[in-house]
Structures are given as C-alpha cells and as structure tokens.
Amino acid sequence: MGGRPGACLFAIDGTVKALAAGVPVLSAIALGTITATFGGMIRDIFAGIIPLVLRHEIYVTAAALGAASL
C-alpha cells in the first residue's frame, strides 16, 4: 500500500473487531477501510505532511481490499 504496510494491518484489524462485535460483513469491511484511511490521515497530519489519501487515490482502494481479504 504505497510503502505503508501498517495501513493494511489496520484495515484488517478494524474489520476483525467489527466482525467480532457482530457487524454485517459489508459494514465490517467499510469500518476496516475507514479505520485504515482516517488513521493514516491522522498519522500524516501529526507528521506534518500532506495526507497520503489526498495524494494517491489508490490508498482507499487498497485499504478496502485489505479489509475484504478476510
């Protein structure tokens, strides 16, 4: 995912936690994608750089695929 493998792990972790809470599969994938995307944005803002999601449109797609990989 563009040199940011942690985002994929956050997508998977968010999805797993949502599934464990009894959330439907598609909603869990959406929650995992949101977890990875916005977590990455917050990381980039704290680092003082333009968020990756605003520079590369593939980022959200890759996060969604990582969340759906379960």
Side-chain angles (χ1 to χ4, degrees):
M1 286 181 46
R4 309 228 186 228
C8 187
L9 296 176
F10 284 124
I12 292 170
D13 188 47
T15 304
V16 168
K17 288 183 181 183
L19 289 172
V23 174
V25 174
L26 289 177
S27 297
I29 291 171
L31 288 169
T33 302
I34 291 167
T35 299
T37 302
F38 287 99
M41 286 180 68
I42 291 169
R43 174 205 58 226
D44 290 345
I45 289 168
F46 284 146
I49 59 175
I50 297 172
L52 184 63
V53 71
L54 298 177
R55 293 183 284 147
H56 300 286
E57 57 280 341
I58 189 74
Y59 187 85
V60 175
T61 305
L65 291 174
S69 69
L70 297 173

